[in-house]
Amino acid sequence: VILWKRDIDKWSDHMHGFRAGPPDLPFRLVTDGDRVYVTMGIDQPVTALDAATGKTLLTYKGSQHTRQIIHTRETLIMLLGDSQVAIHLKRRGQNESPHRVILAADRKTGDILWRKEVSVKTLLPLVVSGDSLLYQTDANLVCLKLKSGDRKWSIPHPCRMPRVRGGAWQWASPTLAACKGIVYVADFKTLAAFSIDDGKALWNSSSAAGFCS
């Protein structure tokens, strides 16, 4: 039984091949039980829908080009900016500068709580653990204070990305997960664990890439 249905404008772009991403699509559909948070198109702002009826409740201003949505307590955390492929192409000579931003908003009202410009090399996914928000770039692992967006710590941790020539960079993304005070970082060579309190390295082992994930 279909309860409701909403049309989505555009969910991919011409810069990706068949089964080749974008890697951020799975990170753009979130629910808290009463609401569904989703981008209604590949570059559209985040919209809150009534989970029972599908009706639009709220559109979050300034959230266009969202690549990831995180719901935590009464806050939505959103990673905004150009896609991974677009960033690569702009580096190769397009005039417009690529960018990425982390935006925190009140989930009920849409009021912006804080906004932080981050490195264009910020990778998916971001993760929340307790009062911390963590993300990685190609060179660093970074921890922010969830309430304010202020930096808690940053440590060098190079991320081994797929070679551009191989094409995997179009869809592949490293893995970041957190549980019980530990953040786990896996690229396409190494899995490493760090303390969320201070960024101290705990252990590491080998890892490998998944298929289209």
Side-chain angles (χ1 to χ4, degrees), residues 59-116:
T59 298
Y60 296 85
K61 294 182 179 179
S63 64
Q64 291 86 349
H65 303 279
T66 290
R67 302 298 162 189
Q68 181 182 0
I69 305 168
I70 298 176
H71 169 265
T72 174
R73 302 169 194 156
E74 298 301 311
T75 304
L76 285 189
I77 303 293
M78 295 161 277
L79 175 64
L80 284 55
D82 296 286
S83 70
Q84 191 165 298
V85 175
I87 289 172
H88 170 72
L89 293 177
K90 288 177 179 180
R91 286 177 182 165
R92 294 178 62 186
Q94 292 189 8
N95 293 327
E96 185 181 354
S97 297
H99 72 286
R100 285 206 161 168
V101 174
I102 298 176
L103 185 70
D106 185 289
R107 73 171 186 89
K108 290 183 178 179
T109 66
D111 293 340
I112 296 175
L113 304 176
W114 54 264
R115 177 185 176 95
K116 187 176 186 68

Coordinates of all heavy atoms in Angstrom, one line a residue, residues 59-116:
T59 N 11.1 24.4 4.6 CA 12.3 24.3 3.8 C 13.4 25.2 4.5 O 13.1 26.3 4.9 CB 12.0 24.9 2.4 OG1 11.0 24.0 1.7 CG2 13.3 24.8 1.5
Y60 N 14.5 24.6 4.6 CA 15.6 25.2 5.4 C 16.4 26.2 4.5 O 17.0 25.8 3.5 CB 16.5 24.2 6.0 CG 15.8 23.3 7.0 CD1 15.1 22.2 6.6 CD2 15.8 23.7 8.3 CE1 14.4 21.4 7.5 CE2 15.1 22.9 9.3 CZ 14.4 21.8 8.8 OH 13.7 21.0 9.7
K61 N 16.3 27.5 4.8 CA 16.9 28.5 3.9 C 18.4 28.4 4.0 O 19.0 28.1 5.0 CB 16.5 29.9 4.4 CG 15.0 30.2 4.2 CD 14.6 31.6 4.7 CE 13.2 31.9 4.5 NZ 12.8 33.3 4.9
G62 N 19.0 28.6 2.8 CA 20.5 28.6 2.8 C 21.1 27.2 2.7 O 22.3 27.0 2.9
S63 N 20.2 26.2 2.5 CA 20.7 24.8 2.5 C 20.8 24.2 1.1 O 20.9 22.9 1.0 CB 19.8 23.9 3.4 OG 18.5 23.8 2.9
Q64 N 20.8 25.0 0.1 CA 21.0 24.5 -1.3 C 22.4 23.8 -1.4 O 23.3 24.1 -0.7 CB 21.0 25.6 -2.3 CG 19.6 26.3 -2.5 CD 19.3 27.4 -1.5 OE1 20.1 27.5 -0.5 NE2 18.3 28.1 -1.7
H65 N 22.4 22.8 -2.3 CA 23.6 22.0 -2.5 C 24.1 21.2 -1.3 O 25.3 21.0 -1.1 CB 24.8 22.9 -3.0 CG 24.5 23.7 -4.2 ND1 24.5 23.2 -5.5 CD2 24.1 25.0 -4.4 CE1 24.2 24.1 -6.4 NE2 23.9 25.2 -5.7
T66 N 23.1 20.7 -0.5 CA 23.4 19.9 0.6 C 23.9 18.5 0.2 O 23.3 17.9 -0.7 CB 22.2 19.8 1.6 OG1 22.0 21.0 2.2 CG2 22.5 18.7 2.6
R67 N 25.0 18.1 0.8 CA 25.6 16.8 0.4 C 25.3 15.7 1.5 O 25.4 14.5 1.3 CB 27.1 16.9 0.2 CG 27.4 17.9 -0.9 CD 26.9 17.5 -2.2 NE 26.8 18.6 -3.2 CZ 26.3 18.5 -4.4 NH1 25.6 17.4 -4.7 NH2 26.3 19.5 -5.2
Q68 N 25.0 16.2 2.7 CA 24.7 15.2 3.8 C 23.8 15.9 4.8 O 24.0 17.1 5.1 CB 26.0 14.8 4.5 CG 25.7 13.8 5.6 CD 27.0 13.3 6.4 OE1 28.1 13.7 6.0 NE2 26.9 12.4 7.3
I69 N 22.9 15.2 5.4 CA 22.0 15.6 6.5 C 22.2 14.7 7.7 O 22.2 13.5 7.6 CB 20.5 15.6 6.1 CG1 20.3 16.3 4.8 CG2 19.6 16.1 7.2 CD1 18.9 16.0 4.2
I70 N 22.4 15.3 8.9 CA 22.5 14.6 10.1 C 21.4 15.2 11.1 O 21.4 16.4 11.3 CB 23.9 14.7 10.8 CG1 25.0 14.1 9.9 CG2 23.9 14.0 12.2 CD1 26.4 14.3 10.5
H71 N 20.6 14.3 11.6 CA 19.6 14.8 12.6 C 20.2 14.3 14.0 O 20.4 13.2 14.2 CB 18.3 14.1 12.4 CG 17.3 14.3 13.5 ND1 17.1 13.4 14.5 CD2 16.5 15.3 13.9 CE1 16.3 13.8 15.4 NE2 15.9 15.0 15.0
T72 N 20.3 15.3 14.9 CA 20.8 15.0 16.3 C 20.0 15.9 17.3 O 20.2 17.1 17.2 CB 22.3 15.2 16.4 OG1 22.7 15.0 17.7 CG2 22.8 16.5 15.9
R73 N 19.3 15.3 18.1 CA 18.4 16.0 19.1 C 17.5 17.0 18.4 O 16.7 16.6 17.6 CB 19.3 16.6 20.1 CG 20.2 15.6 20.9 CD 21.3 16.3 21.7 NE 22.3 15.4 22.1 CZ 23.5 15.8 22.5 NH1 23.9 17.1 22.4 NH2 24.4 14.9 22.8
E74 N 17.7 18.3 18.6 CA 16.8 19.3 18.0 C 17.5 20.0 16.9 O 17.1 21.1 16.5 CB 16.4 20.3 19.1 CG 15.5 19.7 20.2 CD 14.3 19.0 19.6 OE1 13.6 19.7 18.8 OE2 14.0 17.9 20.0
T75 N 18.6 19.5 16.4 CA 19.5 20.1 15.4 C 19.6 19.3 14.2 O 19.7 18.1 14.2 CB 20.9 20.4 16.0 OG1 20.7 21.2 17.2 CG2 21.7 21.2 15.1
L76 N 19.7 20.0 13.0 CA 20.1 19.4 11.8 C 21.5 19.9 11.4 O 21.7 21.1 11.4 CB 19.1 19.8 10.6 CG 17.8 19.1 10.6 CD1 17.1 19.5 9.2 CD2 17.8 17.6 10.7
I77 N 22.4 19.0 11.1 CA 23.7 19.4 10.6 C 23.7 19.0 9.2 O 23.4 17.9 8.7 CB 24.8 18.6 11.4 CG1 24.7 18.8 12.9 CG2 26.2 18.9 10.8 CD1 25.0 20.2 13.3
M78 N 24.2 20.0 8.3 CA 24.2 19.8 6.9 C 25.6 20.2 6.3 O 26.1 21.2 6.7 CB 23.1 20.7 6.2 CG 21.7 20.3 6.6 SD 20.4 21.5 6.3 CE 20.6 22.5 7.8
L79 N 26.1 19.3 5.5 CA 27.3 19.7 4.7 C 26.9 20.2 3.4 O 26.2 19.4 2.6 CB 28.2 18.4 4.6 CG 29.4 18.6 3.7 CD1 30.4 19.6 4.3 CD2 30.2 17.3 3.5
L80 N 27.2 21.4 3.1 CA 26.8 22.1 1.8 C 28.1 22.2 0.9 O 29.2 22.3 1.4 CB 26.3 23.5 2.1 CG 24.9 23.6 2.6 CD1 24.6 22.9 3.9 CD2 24.5 25.1 2.8
G81 N 27.8 22.3 -0.4 CA 28.9 22.6 -1.3 C 28.8 21.9 -2.6 O 27.9 21.1 -2.9
D82 N 29.9 22.0 -3.4 CA 30.0 21.3 -4.7 C 30.2 19.8 -4.5 O 30.7 19.4 -3.5 CB 31.1 21.9 -5.5 CG 30.9 23.4 -5.8 OD1 30.1 23.7 -6.7 OD2 31.6 24.2 -5.2
S83 N 29.8 19.1 -5.5 CA 30.0 17.6 -5.5 C 31.5 17.3 -5.6 O 32.3 18.2 -6.1 CB 29.2 17.0 -6.6 OG 29.8 17.3 -7.9
Q84 N 31.8 16.1 -5.3 CA 33.2 15.7 -5.4 C 33.7 15.8 -6.8 O 34.9 16.2 -7.1 CB 33.3 14.2 -4.9 CG 34.7 13.7 -4.7 CD 34.7 12.4 -3.9 OE1 34.3 12.4 -2.8 NE2 35.1 11.3 -4.5
V85 N 32.9 15.4 -7.8 CA 33.3 15.5 -9.2 C 33.4 17.0 -9.7 O 34.4 17.4 -10.3 CB 32.3 14.8 -10.1 CG1 32.6 15.0 -11.6 CG2 32.3 13.3 -9.8
A86 N 32.5 17.8 -9.2 CA 32.5 19.2 -9.6 C 33.7 19.9 -9.1 O 34.4 20.7 -9.7 CB 31.2 20.0 -9.1
I87 N 34.1 19.6 -7.8 CA 35.3 20.2 -7.2 C 36.5 19.8 -8.1 O 37.4 20.6 -8.3 CB 35.5 19.7 -5.8 CG1 34.4 20.4 -4.9 CG2 36.9 20.0 -5.2 CD1 34.4 19.8 -3.5
H88 N 36.6 18.6 -8.5 CA 37.8 18.1 -9.3 C 37.8 18.9 -10.6 O 38.9 19.4 -11.0 CB 37.7 16.6 -9.6 CG 38.7 16.1 -10.6 ND1 40.0 16.1 -10.3 CD2 38.5 15.8 -11.9 CE1 40.7 15.6 -11.4 NE2 39.8 15.4 -12.3
L89 N 36.7 19.0 -11.3 CA 36.6 19.7 -12.6 C 37.0 21.2 -12.4 O 37.7 21.8 -13.3 CB 35.3 19.5 -13.2 CG 34.9 18.1 -13.6 CD1 33.5 18.1 -14.2 CD2 35.9 17.5 -14.6
K90 N 36.5 21.8 -11.4 CA 36.8 23.2 -11.2 C 38.3 23.5 -10.9 O 38.9 24.5 -11.3 CB 36.0 23.8 -10.0 CG 34.5 23.9 -10.4 CD 33.6 24.4 -9.3 CE 32.2 24.6 -9.8 NZ 31.3 25.0 -8.7
R91 N 38.9 22.5 -10.3 CA 40.4 22.6 -10.1 C 41.1 22.5 -11.4 O 42.3 23.0 -11.5 CB 40.8 21.5 -9.1 CG 40.5 21.7 -7.7 CD 40.9 20.5 -6.9 NE 40.5 20.6 -5.5 CZ 40.5 19.6 -4.6 NH1 40.9 18.4 -5.0 NH2 40.2 19.7 -3.4
R92 N 40.5 22.0 -12.4 CA 41.2 21.8 -13.6 C 41.0 23.0 -14.6 O 41.3 22.9 -15.7 CB 40.7 20.5 -14.3 CG 41.0 19.2 -13.6 CD 40.5 18.0 -14.3 NE 41.0 17.8 -15.6 CZ 40.5 16.9 -16.5 NH1 39.6 16.1 -16.1 NH2 41.1 16.8 -17.7
G93 N 40.4 24.1 -14.1 CA 40.4 25.3 -14.9 C 39.1 26.0 -15.0 O 39.1 27.1 -15.6
Q94 N 38.0 25.6 -14.4 CA 36.8 26.4 -14.4 C 37.0 27.6 -13.5 O 37.7 27.6 -12.5 CB 35.6 25.6 -13.9 CG 35.2 24.4 -14.9 CD 33.9 23.8 -14.5 OE1 33.2 24.2 -13.6 NE2 33.6 22.7 -15.2
N95 N 36.3 28.7 -13.8 CA 36.5 30.0 -13.1 C 36.0 30.0 -11.7 O 36.6 30.5 -10.8 CB 35.9 31.1 -13.9 CG 36.6 31.3 -15.3 OD1 37.8 31.1 -15.4 ND2 35.8 31.7 -16.3
E96 N 34.8 29.4 -11.5 CA 34.2 29.5 -10.2 C 34.9 28.6 -9.1 O 35.3 27.5 -9.4 CB 32.7 29.0 -10.2 CG 32.0 29.1 -8.9 CD 30.6 28.6 -9.1 OE1 30.2 28.2 -10.2 OE2 29.9 28.5 -8.1
S97 N 35.2 29.2 -8.0 CA 35.9 28.5 -6.9 C 35.0 27.5 -6.2 O 33.9 27.9 -5.8 CB 36.5 29.5 -5.9 OG 37.4 30.3 -6.5
P98 N 35.4 26.2 -6.0 CA 34.6 25.3 -5.3 C 34.6 25.6 -3.8 O 35.5 26.4 -3.3 CB 35.3 24.0 -5.5 CG 36.8 24.3 -5.8 CD 36.7 25.7 -6.5
H99 N 33.6 25.2 -3.1 CA 33.5 25.5 -1.6 C 32.7 24.4 -0.9 O 32.0 23.6 -1.5 CB 32.8 26.8 -1.4 CG 31.3 26.8 -1.7 ND1 30.8 26.7 -3.0 CD2 30.2 26.7 -0.8 CE1 29.5 26.6 -2.9 NE2 29.1 26.7 -1.6
R100 N 32.9 24.3 0.4 CA 32.1 23.5 1.3 C 31.9 24.2 2.6 O 32.8 24.9 3.1 CB 32.8 22.1 1.5 CG 32.7 21.2 0.2 CD 32.7 19.8 0.5 NE 32.1 19.1 -0.6 CZ 32.2 17.8 -0.8 NH1 32.9 17.0 0.0 NH2 31.7 17.2 -1.9
V101 N 30.7 24.0 3.2 CA 30.3 24.7 4.4 C 29.5 23.7 5.2 O 28.8 22.8 4.7 CB 29.3 25.9 4.0 CG1 28.7 26.5 5.3 CG2 30.1 26.9 3.2
I102 N 29.7 23.8 6.6 CA 28.9 23.0 7.5 C 27.8 24.0 8.1 O 28.2 25.1 8.6 CB 29.7 22.4 8.6 CG1 30.7 21.4 8.0 CG2 28.8 21.7 9.6 CD1 31.6 20.8 9.0
L103 N 26.6 23.6 8.1 CA 25.5 24.5 8.5 C 24.7 23.7 9.6 O 24.3 22.6 9.4 CB 24.6 24.8 7.4 CG 23.4 25.8 7.7 CD1 23.9 27.2 7.9 CD2 22.4 25.8 6.5
A104 N 24.5 24.4 10.8 CA 23.6 23.8 11.8 C 22.4 24.7 11.9 O 22.4 25.9 12.0 CB 24.4 23.8 13.2
A105 N 21.2 24.0 12.0 CA 19.9 24.7 12.0 C 19.0 24.0 13.0 O 19.1 22.8 13.3 CB 19.3 24.7 10.6
D106 N 18.1 24.8 13.6 CA 17.1 24.3 14.5 C 16.1 23.4 13.6 O 15.6 24.0 12.7 CB 16.3 25.4 15.2 CG 15.3 24.9 16.2 OD1 14.3 24.4 15.8 OD2 15.5 25.1 17.4
R107 N 15.9 22.2 14.0 CA 15.1 21.3 13.1 C 13.6 21.7 13.0 O 13.0 21.5 12.0 CB 15.2 19.9 13.6 CG 14.4 19.6 14.8 CD 14.4 18.1 15.1 NE 13.5 17.8 16.3 CZ 12.2 17.5 16.2 NH1 11.6 17.6 15.0 NH2 11.5 17.3 17.2
K108 N 13.1 22.4 14.1 CA 11.7 22.8 14.1 C 11.4 24.1 13.4 O 10.5 24.2 12.7 CB 11.2 22.8 15.6 CG 11.1 21.5 16.3 CD 10.5 21.6 17.7 CE 10.4 20.3 18.3 NZ 9.8 20.4 19.7
T109 N 12.3 25.1 13.6 CA 12.1 26.4 13.1 C 12.9 26.7 11.9 O 12.5 27.7 11.1 CB 12.4 27.5 14.2 OG1 13.8 27.4 14.4 CG2 11.7 27.2 15.5
G110 N 14.0 26.0 11.7 CA 14.8 26.3 10.5 C 15.8 27.4 10.8 O 16.6 27.8 9.9
D111 N 15.8 28.0 12.0 CA 16.8 29.1 12.3 C 18.2 28.5 12.3 O 18.5 27.4 12.8 CB 16.5 29.6 13.8 CG 15.2 30.3 13.8 OD1 14.7 30.8 12.8 OD2 14.7 30.5 15.0
I112 N 19.1 29.3 11.7 CA 20.5 28.9 11.6 C 21.2 29.1 12.9 O 21.2 30.2 13.5 CB 21.2 29.7 10.5 CG1 20.6 29.3 9.1 CG2 22.7 29.4 10.5 CD1 21.2 30.1 8.0
L113 N 21.8 28.1 13.5 CA 22.5 28.2 14.8 C 23.9 28.6 14.6 O 24.5 29.3 15.4 CB 22.4 26.8 15.5 CG 21.0 26.3 15.7 CD1 21.0 24.9 16.3 CD2 20.2 27.3 16.5
W114 N 24.6 28.0 13.6 CA 25.9 28.4 13.2 C 26.3 27.9 11.8 O 25.6 27.0 11.3 CB 27.0 27.9 14.2 CG 27.0 26.5 14.6 CD1 26.4 25.8 15.6 CD2 27.7 25.4 13.8 NE1 26.7 24.5 15.6 CE2 27.5 24.2 14.5 CE3 28.5 25.4 12.7 CZ2 28.0 23.0 14.1 CZ3 29.1 24.2 12.3 CH2 28.8 23.0 13.0
R115 N 27.3 28.5 11.3 CA 27.7 28.2 9.9 C 29.2 28.3 9.9 O 29.8 29.3 10.4 CB 27.1 29.3 8.9 CG 27.5 29.1 7.5 CD 27.0 30.2 6.6 NE 27.5 30.2 5.3 CZ 26.8 29.6 4.2 NH1 25.6 29.1 4.5 NH2 27.3 29.6 3.0
K116 N 29.9 27.3 9.3 CA 31.3 27.3 9.3 C 31.9 26.9 7.9 O 31.5 25.8 7.4 CB 31.8 26.3 10.4 CG 33.3 26.3 10.6 CD 33.7 25.3 11.7 CE 35.2 25.4 12.0 NZ 35.6 26.7 12.6

